[in-house]
């Protein structure tokens, strides 16, 4: 377990296993139990245990290299693509061990969508970007595809801006629009969980505000896990926040508590900007 | 144009005859032109030699075939490109027989020969090379990639004469036993051997193009639940299409310009036939085989030069069109159109 940390306050922190999730009555959807991850010999994640509640926004914060993106990529097994990655412990989604031998990774990724740090629309038309995701699902009916494309663009608050140029290349969109297109693409296939890896870090404040509004809308439907460097962003949009440092989960609690009354000294130092 | 100043007509050449007895009466300059000598050559010859040359011309005229075709200048465009019913033929035909008495210089059989072998080569090599590039760049384990890529690229280091020899000795017999066609050396065998030379060219460029597609596209596709194969085929390959197309154009250039393989393995029969299993003769092989035997500056020499110029024009146009297509594809991918 985590080494005892010096704390200014004499608060006793929950010491063990799954930290008490700030669930607001929401059942846990992702359960991480004693997860460690190694790149070759280097350990990137150290014995992490916690749970992500359903239909809430959970934010991962922490300085660069603390393992928050690595952990996020454990949830849809994107780390499988990297050589020499070794995992210990379990990750359960909806009670199912996603690293079990018989798990279908392709099906898993359809259930756990992902939005990347840098927007990465395909070099296809706006329409085809989303239609491609639908065709991967086995959808063939043109009218059905067109309906879902429109619906997803509405949901991603992009429809009004692109409805007249659906068949123009997606690479002609602005950065913020591209990122919203990526979100539309991810939600078009109706995943249970949406993973967002610093989705707004490359965008200007206006585009960032749009993405944040969008995330607040989307949490009605999806369980969202977002990695962010921006503390204000985490405070604005998340219900629960997990603070990571050097591959360890330092604290996981309701966002309001993390930002106003953290249990650990390190958390307080980080959220107040004293380090990191 | 390139051959316009030449006249290969035998009748024209021997129309005028100056008998040796008239040697003294003809002005020296006139005589020099008549015998087709340079000034220097003319000055080095004594009277006896010149008179011998004059008699030789009379003999040559006597041996001139009694053929109306001897009147024709066969280097005119209509004989170079169109069919002509030569004496002894029952219908108009495209004939390349530059060393027969009547010099027949029809270019069509050679063009067809070049196109046939190139077509077979590309049909064989391009899909194989692109599939290999897709596998090596997208699907293969990095360790397999480390030796596969240089391994395939090393193929381009094989001298084409070795490939030609291999085609001539091994492939020709193998495919004749397999398909049982009559001509052992033909466009098909030459095309396959040519394909072996084209594969590393296409592979190398296509692989670079596929590898330079941003990794984020693959990640996005995989995160949407595509298989690695789907991501490679449906996302990465379309994104790399300009580069893959450029690889194909380069492969075409290599195939149509390659000489030694087709010289050795195509059978070198200049016949007009679209059958891939007939022997054939290409532009390049013709130049290689005949140029050394021609009179420098003569009509045969000039026609071979024309072949070279046409070869250049074909590859130039292919590259130009290829470049335009690549720009269009790129523009479409980048959302500029």
């Amino acid at each position: 377990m985590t080494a005892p940390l010096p704390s200014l306050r004499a608060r006793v922190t929950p010491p063990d296993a799954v930290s008490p999730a700030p669930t607001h009555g929401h059942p846990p959807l992702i359960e991480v139990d004693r997860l460690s991850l190694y790149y070759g010999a280097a350990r990137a994640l150290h014995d992490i245990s916690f749970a992500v509640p359903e239909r809430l926004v959970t934010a991962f914060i922490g300085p660069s290299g603390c393992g928050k993106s690595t952990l996020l990529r454990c949830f849809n097994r994107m780390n499988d693509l990297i050589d020499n990655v070794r995992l210990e412990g379990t990750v359960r989604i909806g009670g199912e061990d996603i690293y079990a031998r018989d798990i279908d990774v392709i099906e898993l990724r359809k259930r756990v969508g992902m939005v990347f740090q840098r927007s990465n629309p395909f070099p296809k038309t706006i329409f085809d970007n989303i239609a491609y995701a639908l065709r991967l699902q086995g959808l063939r009916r043109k009218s059905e595809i067109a309906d879902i494309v429109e619906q997803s663009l509405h949901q991603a608050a992009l429809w009004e801006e692109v409805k007249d140029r659906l068949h123009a290349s997606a690479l002609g969109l602005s950065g913020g629009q591209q990122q919203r297109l990526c979100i539309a693409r991810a939600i078009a296939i109706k995943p249970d969980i949406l993973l967002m890896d610093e989705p707004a870090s490359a965008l200007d404040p206006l585009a960032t505000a749009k993405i944040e509004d969008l995330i607040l809308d989307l949490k009605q439907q999806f369980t969202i896990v977002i990695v962010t460097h921006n503390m204000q962003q985490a405070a604005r949009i998340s219900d629960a926040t997990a603070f990571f440092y050097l591959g360890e989960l330092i604290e996981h609690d309701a966002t309001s508590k993390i930002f106003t009354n953290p249990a650990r000294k390190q958390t307080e130092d980080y959220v107040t900007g004293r380090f990191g | 144009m390139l051959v316009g100043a030449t006249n290969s007509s035998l009748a024209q050449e021997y129309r005028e005859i100056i008998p040796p007895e008239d040697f003294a009466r003809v002005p020296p300059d006139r005589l020099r032109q008549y015998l087709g000598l340079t000034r220097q050559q003319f000055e080095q010859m004594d009277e006896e030699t010149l008179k011998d040359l004059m008699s030789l011309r009379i003999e040559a005229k006597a041996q001139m075939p009694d053929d109306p075709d001897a009147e024709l200048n066969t280097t005119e465009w209509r004989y170079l490109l169109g069919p002509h019913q030569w004496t002894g033929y029952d219908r108009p035909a495209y004939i390349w027989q530059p060393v027969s008495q009547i010099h027949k210089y029809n270019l069509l059989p050679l063009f067809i020969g070049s196109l046939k072998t190139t077509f077979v080569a590309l049909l064989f090599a391009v899909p194989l090379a692109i599939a290999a590039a897709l596998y090596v760049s997208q699907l293969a384990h990095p360790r397999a990639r480390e030796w596969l890529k240089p391994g395939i690229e090393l193929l381009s280091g094989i001298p084409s004469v070795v490939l030609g020899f291999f085609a001539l000795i091994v492939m020709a017999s193998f495919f004749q036993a397999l398909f049982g066609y009559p001509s052992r050396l033909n466009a098909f065998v030459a095309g396959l051997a040519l394909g072996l030379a084209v594969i590393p060219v296409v592979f190398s460029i296509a692989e670079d193009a596929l590898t330079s597609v941003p990794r984020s596209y693959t990640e996005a596709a995989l995160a949407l639940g595509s298989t690695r194969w789907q991501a490679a085929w449906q996302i990465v390959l379309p994104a790399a299409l300009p580069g893959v197309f450029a690889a194909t154009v380069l492969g075409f250039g290599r195939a149509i310009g390659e000489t030694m393989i087709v010289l050795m393995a195509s059978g070198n029969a200049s016949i007009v036939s679209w059958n891939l299993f007939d022997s054939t003769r290409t532009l390049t092989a013709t130049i290689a085989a005949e140029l050394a035997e021609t009179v420098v500056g003569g009509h045969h020499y000039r026609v071979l030069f024309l072949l070279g110029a046409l070869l250049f024009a074909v590859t130039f146009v292919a590259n130009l069109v290829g470049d335009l297509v690549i720009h269009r594809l790129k523009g479409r991918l980048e959302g500029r159109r």
Side-chain angles (χ1 to χ4, degrees), chain A residues 38-62:
Chain A
Y38 302 82
Y39 291 122
R43 184 162 60 184
L45 293 176
H46 182 179
D47 209 16
I48 288 172
S49 301
F50 78 114
V52 173
E54 201 173 353
R55 307 244 165 146
L56 287 179
V57 178
T58 302
F60 289 179
I61 59 170

Coordinates of all heavy atoms in Angstrom, one line a residue, chain A residues 38-62:
Chain A
Y38 N 3.7 -2.0 -15.2 CA 5.1 -1.9 -15.4 C 5.4 -1.7 -16.9 O 4.8 -2.4 -17.7 CB 5.9 -3.1 -15.0 CG 5.7 -3.5 -13.5 CD1 4.6 -4.2 -13.1 CD2 6.6 -3.1 -12.6 CE1 4.4 -4.5 -11.8 CE2 6.4 -3.4 -11.2 CZ 5.3 -4.1 -10.8 OH 5.1 -4.4 -9.5
Y39 N 6.2 -0.7 -17.3 CA 6.8 -0.6 -18.6 C 8.1 -1.3 -18.5 O 9.1 -0.6 -18.0 CB 6.9 0.8 -19.0 CG 5.7 1.6 -19.3 CD1 5.4 2.7 -18.6 CD2 4.7 1.1 -20.2 CE1 4.2 3.4 -18.8 CE2 3.6 1.8 -20.5 CZ 3.3 2.9 -19.8 OH 2.1 3.6 -20.0
G40 N 8.3 -2.5 -19.0 CA 9.5 -3.2 -18.8 C 9.8 -3.4 -17.3 O 8.9 -4.0 -16.6
A41 N 10.8 -2.8 -16.8 CA 11.1 -2.9 -15.3 C 10.6 -1.7 -14.6 O 10.5 -1.7 -13.3 CB 12.6 -3.0 -15.1
A42 N 10.3 -0.6 -15.3 CA 9.8 0.6 -14.6 C 8.4 0.5 -14.3 O 7.5 0.2 -15.1 CB 10.1 1.8 -15.5
R43 N 8.1 0.8 -13.0 CA 6.7 0.8 -12.5 C 6.0 2.1 -12.7 O 6.5 3.1 -12.2 CB 6.6 0.3 -11.1 CG 5.2 0.1 -10.6 CD 5.2 -0.7 -9.3 NE 5.9 0.0 -8.3 CZ 6.1 -0.5 -7.1 NH1 5.7 -1.7 -6.8 NH2 6.8 0.2 -6.2
A44 N 4.9 2.1 -13.5 CA 4.2 3.3 -13.8 C 3.0 3.5 -12.8 O 2.7 4.7 -12.6 CB 3.8 3.4 -15.2
L45 N 2.4 2.5 -12.4 CA 1.3 2.5 -11.5 C 1.6 1.6 -10.3 O 2.1 0.5 -10.5 CB 0.0 2.1 -12.2 CG -0.5 3.0 -13.3 CD1 -1.7 2.4 -13.9 CD2 -0.8 4.4 -12.8
H46 N 1.3 2.1 -9.2 CA 1.7 1.4 -8.0 C 0.4 1.1 -7.1 O -0.1 1.9 -6.5 CB 2.7 2.2 -7.2 CG 3.2 1.5 -6.0 ND1 4.1 2.0 -5.1 CD2 2.9 0.3 -5.5 CE1 4.3 1.2 -4.1 NE2 3.6 0.1 -4.3
D47 N 0.0 -0.2 -7.2 CA -1.0 -0.7 -6.3 C -2.2 0.2 -6.1 O -2.4 0.7 -5.0 CB -0.3 -0.9 -4.9 CG -0.9 -2.0 -4.1 OD1 -1.7 -2.8 -4.8 OD2 -0.6 -2.1 -2.9
I48 N -2.9 0.4 -7.2 CA -4.0 1.4 -7.1 C -5.3 0.7 -6.9 O -5.6 -0.3 -7.6 CB -4.0 2.2 -8.4 CG1 -2.9 3.2 -8.3 CG2 -5.3 3.0 -8.5 CD1 -2.6 3.9 -9.6
S49 N -6.1 1.2 -6.0 CA -7.4 0.6 -5.7 C -8.4 1.7 -5.6 O -8.2 2.6 -4.7 CB -7.4 -0.3 -4.5 OG -6.5 -1.3 -4.6
F50 N -9.4 1.7 -6.4 CA -10.5 2.7 -6.2 C -11.7 2.3 -7.1 O -11.6 1.4 -7.9 CB -10.1 4.1 -6.3 CG -9.9 4.6 -7.8 CD1 -10.8 5.5 -8.3 CD2 -9.0 4.0 -8.6 CE1 -10.6 5.9 -9.6 CE2 -8.8 4.4 -9.9 CZ -9.7 5.4 -10.4
A51 N -12.7 3.1 -7.1 CA -13.9 2.8 -8.0 C -14.4 4.0 -8.6 O -14.3 5.1 -8.0 CB -15.0 2.1 -7.2
V52 N -14.9 3.9 -9.8 CA -15.5 5.0 -10.5 C -17.0 4.8 -10.5 O -17.5 3.8 -11.1 CB -14.9 5.1 -12.0 CG1 -15.7 6.2 -12.8 CG2 -13.4 5.3 -12.0
P53 N -17.7 5.7 -10.0 CA -19.2 5.6 -9.9 C -19.8 5.8 -11.3 O -19.3 6.6 -12.1 CB -19.6 6.6 -8.9 CG -18.5 7.6 -8.9 CD -17.3 7.0 -9.3
E54 N -21.0 5.2 -11.5 CA -21.7 5.3 -12.7 C -22.3 6.7 -12.9 O -22.8 7.3 -11.9 CB -22.8 4.3 -12.7 CG -23.3 3.9 -14.0 CD -24.3 2.7 -14.0 OE1 -24.4 2.2 -12.9 OE2 -24.9 2.4 -15.0
R55 N -22.4 7.2 -14.1 CA -23.0 8.4 -14.4 C -22.6 9.6 -13.6 O -23.4 10.5 -13.3 CB -24.6 8.3 -14.3 CG -25.1 7.1 -15.0 CD -26.0 7.5 -16.1 NE -26.2 6.4 -17.0 CZ -27.3 6.1 -17.6 NH1 -28.3 6.8 -17.5 NH2 -27.3 5.0 -18.4
L56 N -21.3 9.7 -13.3 CA -20.7 10.9 -12.7 C -19.5 11.2 -13.5 O -19.0 10.3 -14.3 CB -20.4 10.6 -11.3 CG -21.5 10.5 -10.3 CD1 -21.0 10.2 -8.9 CD2 -22.4 11.8 -10.3
V57 N -19.0 12.4 -13.3 CA -17.7 12.7 -13.9 C -16.6 12.6 -12.9 O -16.7 13.2 -11.8 CB -17.7 14.2 -14.5 CG1 -16.4 14.5 -15.1 CG2 -18.8 14.3 -15.5
T58 N -15.7 11.7 -13.2 CA -14.5 11.5 -12.3 C -13.3 12.1 -13.0 O -13.0 11.8 -14.1 CB -14.3 10.0 -12.0 OG1 -15.5 9.5 -11.5 CG2 -13.1 9.8 -11.1
A59 N -12.6 13.0 -12.3 CA -11.4 13.6 -12.8 C -10.2 13.0 -12.2 O -10.2 12.7 -11.0 CB -11.5 15.1 -12.6
F60 N -9.2 12.8 -13.1 CA -7.9 12.4 -12.6 C -7.0 13.6 -12.7 O -6.8 14.2 -13.7 CB -7.3 11.3 -13.5 CG -7.9 10.0 -13.4 CD1 -7.5 8.9 -14.1 CD2 -9.0 9.8 -12.5 CE1 -8.1 7.7 -14.1 CE2 -9.6 8.5 -12.4 CZ -9.1 7.5 -13.2
I61 N -6.4 14.0 -11.5 CA -5.4 15.1 -11.6 C -4.1 14.7 -11.0 O -4.0 13.6 -10.4 CB -5.9 16.4 -10.8 CG1 -6.2 16.0 -9.3 CG2 -7.2 16.9 -11.4 CD1 -6.4 17.2 -8.4
G62 N -3.1 15.5 -11.3 CA -1.8 15.1 -10.8 C -0.7 15.7 -11.8 O -1.0 16.0 -12.9

